[in-house]
């Protein structure tokens, strides 16, 4: 797309006290250009505003174009937020992976959930994974020129024919050449391998992780592949009947854990790092204990569900708990059943707080048809169905709902709002934000009590 044809970037918020506010810019206005150049995305925007002298073109809500000149510190932000990070639209996926979660949804889900993101800019900005199969030369040049590193790459297999079959894209077989390109340009990436039993497991998984580890060896002091995550394939009841992909069972999970742990020992000796990490789901599926906190080093694959439960449990041990609540509180804490067993020690410790009685409600998703369900995939229908089976629901003072189940703090994946949920179940709903401290703060919020920094042992 020519920059001359780029649409203005719609402004969603102006931070109080910011330069943008002093210039009179308002939400709903749109940014047209910076020093005569139209930004494609948030990356361009951040690069362009680094200058000390700026001339902005702003299109207000009445359609009037304003030119604003200003001087600022070189590292000073303007205080603008945008409706989207991509002003020129999403670069979508060109693959046809049988295990793609996007294709395993019913058609009535909201339109944004059916968009297949394979955009290197979202990978750089937010850590989303891409396959590198849809990039023309100009985009590779931009990655190199702007030093967009690290990126997050879905590898799945390094054998060219196997990766092409998995992604159903002949361009997918170029992955080793692409990794070499990253090495030559001194750019870095994190990798992931989604294991599909019978496809890229066993000797293929060994080959993939050994190939990736070879790119971890530093060149000029810089490793190319920083880490690799090994993740079990996730399947729903909506998947195509002829996709030939089978779910991971307990026996397969145990097999993969043994296999990867053997490679981890080799990598620690040869690379000085575990390098290849198993997602928490493997241990949940196998019914095995998680490794200790020190196993995860600096948690390089936390966003991929690697070590997140161990980190949560470790952080909870450091949280200051109130010496007691000002009034009795009976709370119901809802989570996906994947973490139900792991979170029982947290509930036991929370219930040592005087006046608090907390009950954990771990639920599976009948909507997705998954035996084990992570909390973030629970739908409003799943939650309502589970709550209706709680015989003494009216006796609870509050439902503690993890915010990760909601988009923008408002809607479940099936578009039910938390307010509608509250109306239907008849008890207050309080969102739990962030980690263990968010759980404690939510409990104290219900009783209107400031956090008391006294640890309950």
């Amino acid at each position: 797309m020519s920059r001359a044809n780029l649409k203005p970037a719609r402004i969603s918020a102006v931070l109080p006290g910011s330069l943008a506010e002093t210039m009179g810019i308002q939400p709903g206005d749109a940014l047209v250009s910076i020093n005569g150049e139209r930004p494609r995305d948030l990356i361009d925007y951040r690069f362009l505003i680094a200058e000390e002298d700026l001339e902005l073109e702003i299109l207000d809500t009445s359609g009037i174009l304003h030119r604003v000149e200003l001087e600022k510190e070189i590292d000073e932000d303007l205080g603008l937020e945008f409706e989207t990070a991509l002003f020129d639209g999403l670069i979508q996926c060109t693959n046809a992976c049988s295990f793609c979660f996007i294709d395993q949804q019913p058609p009535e889900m909201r339109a944004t959930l059916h968009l297949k993101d394979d955009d290197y800019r979202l990978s750089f900005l937010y850590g989303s994974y891409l396959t590198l199969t849809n990039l023309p030369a100009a985009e590779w040049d931009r990655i190199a020129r702007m030093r967009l590193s690290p990126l997050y790459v879905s590898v799945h297999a390094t054998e060219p024919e196997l990766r092409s079959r998995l992604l159903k894209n002949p361009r997918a077989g170029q992955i080793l050449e692409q990794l070499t390109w990253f090495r030559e340009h001194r750019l870095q990436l994190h990798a992931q391998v989604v294991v599909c039993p019978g496809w890229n497991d066993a000797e293929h998984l060994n080959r993939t992780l050994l190939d990736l580890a070879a790119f971890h060896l530093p060149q000029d002091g810089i490793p190319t592949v920083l880490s690799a995550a090994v993740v079990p394939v996730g399947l729903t009841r909506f998947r195509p009947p002829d996709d030939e992909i089978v779910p991971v069972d307990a026996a397969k999970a145990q097999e993969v854990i043994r296999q990867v742990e053997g490679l981890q020992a080799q990598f620690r000796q040869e690379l000085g790092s575990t390098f290849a990490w198993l997602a928490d789901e493997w241990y949940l599926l196998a019914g095995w204990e998680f490794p200790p906190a020190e196993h995860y080093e600096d948690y390089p694959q936390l966003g991929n569900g690697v070590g997140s439960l161990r980190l949560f449990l470790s952080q909870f041990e450091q949280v200051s708990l109130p010496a007691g609540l000002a009034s009795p509180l009976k709370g119901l804490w809802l989570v996906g059943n994947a973490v139900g067993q792991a979170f029982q020690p947290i509930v036991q410790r929370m219930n040592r707080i005087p006046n608090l009685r907390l009950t954990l409600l771990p639920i599976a998703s009948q909507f997705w048809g998954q035996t084990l369900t992570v909390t973030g995939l629970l739908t409003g229908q799943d939650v309502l169905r589970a709550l209706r089976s709680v015989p003494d629901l009216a006796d609870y003072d509050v439902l503690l709902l993890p915010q990760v189940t909601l988009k923008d703090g408002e809607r479940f994946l099936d578009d039910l709002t938390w307010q509608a949920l509250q109306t239907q179940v008849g008890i207050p709903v309080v969102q739990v934000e962030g980690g263990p401290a968010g759980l404690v703060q939510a409990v104290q919020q219900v009783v209107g009590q400031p956090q008391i920094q006294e640890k309950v042992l």
Side-chain angles (χ1 to χ4, degrees), residues 103-160:
D103 291 336
Q104 297 184 68
Q105 302 179 88
E108 63 269 17
M109 302 294 280
R110 62 175 175 265
T112 54
L113 294 177
H114 290 282
L115 291 175
K116 290 189 177 183
D117 157 33
D118 203 12
D119 199 308
Y120 70 92
R121 299 169 297 176
L122 295 182
S123 183
F124 174 70
L125 290 168
Y126 305 120
S128 60
Y129 276 84
L130 77 159
T131 64
L132 301 173
T133 59
N134 61 353
L135 297 181
E139 302 296 359
W140 284 100
D141 290 344
R142 187 183 186 220
I143 292 171
R145 185 179 69 256
M146 302 190 76
R147 312 299 299 166
L148 303 183
S149 174
L151 296 184
Y152 296 76
V153 179
S154 291
V155 174
H156 307 323
T158 53
E159 297 166 76

Side-chain angles (χ1 to χ4, degrees), residues 4 20 54 111-112 121 149 201 207 211 229 239 309 335 345 404 449:
L54 299 180
T112 54
R121 299 169 297 176
S149 174
D201 55 347
R207 168 76 177 273
D211 283 346
R239 70 182 186 272
L309 291 178
V335 296
V404 70
Q449 177 175 324

Side-chain angles (χ1 to χ4, degrees), residues 2-73:
S2 168
R3 286 188 181 267
N5 297 324
L6 287 173
K7 293 182 179 179
R10 187 70 57 187
I11 296 166
S12 60
V14 178
L15 300 182
S18 65
L19 284 173
E21 185 182 55
T22 63
M23 291 184 292
I25 299 174
Q26 299 180 6
D29 293 346
L31 174 65
V32 177
S33 70
I34 303 171
N35 289 344
E37 187 165 353
R38 295 190 174 212
R40 288 181 57 188
D41 45 43
L42 198 57
I43 298 170
D44 271 352
Y45 168 77
R46 291 176 177 174
F47 179 80
L48 292 170
I49 67 167
E51 300 292 332
E52 294 177 302
D53 298 313
L54 299 180
E55 180 181 271
L56 309 181
E57 286 188 324
I58 302 292
L59 190 68
D60 69 20
T61 54
S62 301
I64 300 173
L65 187 66
H66 303 265
R67 288 182 173 82
V68 181
E69 295 183 359
L70 70 146
E71 295 181 5
K72 55 181 269 305
E73 298 294 330

Side-chain angles (χ1 to χ4, degrees), residues 4-318:
N5 297 324
L6 287 173
K7 293 182 179 179
R10 187 70 57 187
I11 296 166
S12 60
V14 178
L15 300 182
S18 65
L19 284 173
E21 185 182 55
T22 63
M23 291 184 292
I25 299 174
Q26 299 180 6
D29 293 346
L31 174 65
V32 177
S33 70
I34 303 171
N35 289 344
E37 187 165 353
R38 295 190 174 212
R40 288 181 57 188
D41 45 43
L42 198 57
I43 298 170
D44 271 352
Y45 168 77
R46 291 176 177 174
F47 179 80
L48 292 170
I49 67 167
E51 300 292 332
E52 294 177 302
D53 298 313
L54 299 180
E55 180 181 271
L56 309 181
E57 286 188 324
I58 302 292
L59 190 68
D60 69 20
T61 54
S62 301
I64 300 173
L65 187 66
H66 303 265
R67 288 182 173 82
V68 181
E69 295 183 359
L70 70 146
E71 295 181 5
K72 55 181 269 305
E73 298 294 330
I74 197 166
D75 59 348
E76 188 174 6
D77 188 41
L78 298 183
L80 295 178
E81 295 181 356
F82 299 92
E83 290 182 350
T84 175
L86 308 177
F87 310 153
D88 61 352
L90 180 72
I91 299 175
Q92 295 201 46
C93 184
T94 57
N95 307 311
C97 309
S98 296
F99 53 89
C100 177
F101 193 84
I102 302 298
D103 291 336
Q104 297 184 68
Q105 302 179 88
E108 63 269 17
M109 302 294 280
R110 62 175 175 265
T112 54
L113 294 177
H114 290 282
L115 291 175
K116 290 189 177 183
D117 157 33
D118 203 12
D119 199 308
Y120 70 92
R121 299 169 297 176
L122 295 182
S123 183
F124 174 70
L125 290 168
Y126 305 120
S128 60
Y129 276 84
L130 77 159
T131 64
L132 301 173
T133 59
N134 61 353
L135 297 181
E139 302 296 359
W140 284 100
D141 290 344
R142 187 183 186 220
I143 292 171
R145 185 179 69 256
M146 302 190 76
R147 312 299 299 166
L148 303 183
S149 174
L151 296 184
Y152 296 76
V153 179
S154 291
V155 174
H156 307 323
T158 53
E159 297 166 76
E161 290 185 6
L162 176 56
R163 190 170 192 257
S164 293
R165 284 197 295 119
L166 277 166
L167 275 59
K168 296 183 180 178
N169 186 336
R171 296 184 65 184
Q174 301 171 3
I175 185 62
L176 289 175
E177 291 88 340
Q178 291 166 340
L179 293 178
T180 300
W181 181 92
F182 275 86
R183 169 175 280 176
E184 291 172 348
H185 287 82
R186 298 168 61 84
L187 297 172
Q188 298 177 303
L189 60 93
H190 294 276
Q192 77 165 355
V193 178
V194 174
V195 174
C196 301
W199 285 74
N200 60 339
D201 55 347
E203 70 273 11
H204 302 296
L205 179 58
N206 261 33
R207 168 76 177 273
T208 296
L209 294 180
L210 289 170
D211 283 346
L212 291 174
F215 283 93
H216 183 77
L217 291 169
Q219 181 165 313
D220 298 330
I222 299 177
T224 300
V225 179
L226 296 168
S227 69
V230 181
V231 182
V233 66
L235 303 177
T236 80
R237 64 185 177 93
F238 302 105
R239 70 182 186 272
D242 58 348
D243 63 7
E244 301 179 345
I245 304 294
V246 298
V248 173
D249 59 17
K252 173 57 71 172
Q254 292 168 11
E255 173 192 317
V256 170
I257 292 172
R258 293 189 187 99
Q259 178 183 359
V260 175
E261 285 184 344
L263 287 170
Q264 288 174 339
Q266 177 181 336
F267 295 151
R268 282 192 289 270
Q269 182 176 3
E270 296 177 355
L271 307 177
S273 169
T274 297
F275 176 70
W277 310 89
L278 288 156
D280 295 351
E281 289 176 77
W282 292 109
Y283 296 96
L284 294 170
L285 288 163
W288 288 1
E289 291 289 326
F290 300 117
E294 56 269 20
H295 167 81
Y296 295 100
E297 298 175 14
D298 60 351
Y299 293 90
Q301 288 276 358
L302 191 61
N304 224 338
V306 175
S308 56
L309 291 178
R310 173 56 67 196
L311 181 62
F312 192 100
L313 294 170
S314 298
Q315 289 177 337
F316 187 79
E317 291 299 318
Q318 306 303 316

